Amino acid sequence: MIRVQAVAPDSLGAALELIPGTELLAVNGRDLEDFLDWEFLTADEHFVLRARLPSGEEIEYDVERPEGLPMGVMLEPPRIRRCANHCDFCFVDGNPQGMRQALYIRDDDYRLSFRYGNFATLTNLKPWDLERIVEYRLSPLYVSVHATDSVVRRWLLRNPEATDVIPQLRWFVERGISFHTQVVLVPGINDGPQLVRTLSDLYRLGPSILSVSVVPVALTEFSKHALVRQPTCEECRAALGAVDDFAARAVADRGVPWCYGRSVPPGRPVPTAGRVVRRFRAARERRGRGALPPDPDSGRACRVGDRGLAPQTHRDRDGDCHGAADPTDRY
């Protein structure tokens, strides 16, 4: 069961006289579990909706929905699936105390991976989740792999029951699901030969693995420094060497780099948001891709985000690691 939070005026939902607080029970006799059921099952031009009004009255609606006409129904936020892993490098542990509670939610939800691009480990999937992902073609999904060696991955996730990720991904790939993946590099654990193994295993799954982002572990003063450390510049260079090798191979085989890296060694300055945007704009215009809309130069300091500036490898002409992303390197 899902509940209506708001209904847009002059919409199909308003014509049905759905109001906030209405419980949406089933479509075509199939119980509604969450927003995915609602969006997929009501996409047909004709369906039967069973609902319960706030008064307690149950009604069945025989709905004719013209193609492309939105229902205009906003649902109450779903219950987020929480993470059962206990990674030493979890970014939530890097938050200071006393902030708003939403910043301490450890989500590991394949639904949010599909909708928003959140990375999930897929370690909490039930058999019916597997079937649902395939039935609704929830693709691409964004998966935190970290390592394909099951022992190493379970150690990184601090979860002895974590799924063996390669057979799991292969099962999905055989059913038409594709993935963007990431590896958070923890020095001494999943770098070096382990990184090469991980990239090799993922590459062998074929083009359904759309990309691999390799990013160094990011720590704050509140992180678990006794259990995990940031990589040195030399370790970053070694990881970028492996990334470049696989990127070159992928370009030759598939026409795209496939494997992307980012390296920000400790102690290097982080650019302001305005500086990053200006450099990206300049690189884009030099390549004839058109100008971006003007941006306000707020001058606010920002952290160079793993997703925001990937895919690229940050290295200057002499092979030195950059403390800030250089969009001219790979765009």
Side-chain angles (χ1 to χ4, degrees), residues 2-226:
I2 51 181
R3 186 175 285 109
V4 175
Q5 184 177 65
V7 180
D10 302 319
S11 66
L12 185 53
L16 295 174
E17 299 183 349
L18 300 177
I19 59 176
T22 299
E23 296 176 353
L24 306 173
L25 305 177
V27 169
N28 294 334
R30 180 165 172 175
D31 291 343
L32 296 174
E33 178 183 334
D34 57 23
F35 65 88
L36 286 179
D37 287 336
W38 174 251
E39 293 177 2
F40 281 91
L41 298 179
T42 62
D44 293 336
E45 295 182 3
H46 175 257
F47 58 88
V48 176
L49 169 65
R50 184 164 60 89
R52 182 185 296 120
L53 300 179
S55 63
E57 179 185 6
E58 286 197 14
I59 299 180
E60 273 200 356
Y61 301 90
D62 196 324
V63 181
E64 295 284 346
R65 180 181 182 181
E67 184 177 358
L69 178 66
M71 288 293 296
V73 174
M74 178 183 296
L75 305 177
E76 290 185 354
R79 183 184 297 274
I80 296 175
R81 290 196 178 190
R82 303 305 175 97
C83 184
N85 306 309
H86 305 279
C87 305
D88 295 333
F89 52 87
C90 179
F91 70 92
V92 174
D93 292 330
N95 289 331
Q97 297 301 311
M99 299 192 296
R100 63 184 187 274
Q101 284 303 115
L103 296 177
Y104 303 105
I105 295 176
R106 303 171 189 264
D107 65 283
D108 196 8
D109 197 321
Y110 73 90
R111 302 168 304 171
L112 304 185
S113 178
F114 173 70
R115 170 167 273 191
Y116 301 118
N118 293 14
F119 277 93
T121 64
L122 305 185
T123 57
N124 57 0
L125 296 184
K126 308 299 183 186
W128 51 86
D129 294 323
L130 305 178
E131 297 171 3
R132 197 168 186 236
I133 290 170
V134 173
E135 177 188 2
Y136 287 161
R137 311 295 293 176
L138 303 184
S139 179
L141 294 177
Y142 294 74
V143 178
S144 292
V145 173
H146 302 324
T148 55
D149 182 307
S150 59
V151 174
V152 174
R153 187 170 194 250
R154 288 166 185 156
W155 192 95
L156 287 165
L157 299 179
R158 298 296 188 185
N159 182 354
E161 299 180 357
T163 315
D164 194 347
V165 70
I166 288 298
Q168 183 183 50
L169 294 179
R170 183 182 297 112
W171 186 90
F172 280 120
V173 165
E174 291 170 350
R175 289 156 179 80
I177 306 300
S178 58
F179 299 92
H180 291 285
T181 62
Q182 74 165 347
V183 174
V184 174
L185 211 61
V186 179
I189 306 300
N190 63 340
D191 56 354
Q194 284 294 336
L195 175 61
V196 173
R197 171 177 173 171
T198 296
L199 297 178
S200 298
D201 290 343
L202 291 172
Y203 196 78
R204 280 194 291 269
L205 289 178
S208 291
I209 304 300
L210 302 173
S211 69
V212 184
S213 295
V214 180
V215 298
V217 63
L219 305 176
T220 73
E221 63 181 288
F222 305 99
S223 299
K224 300 176 181 178
H225 291 272

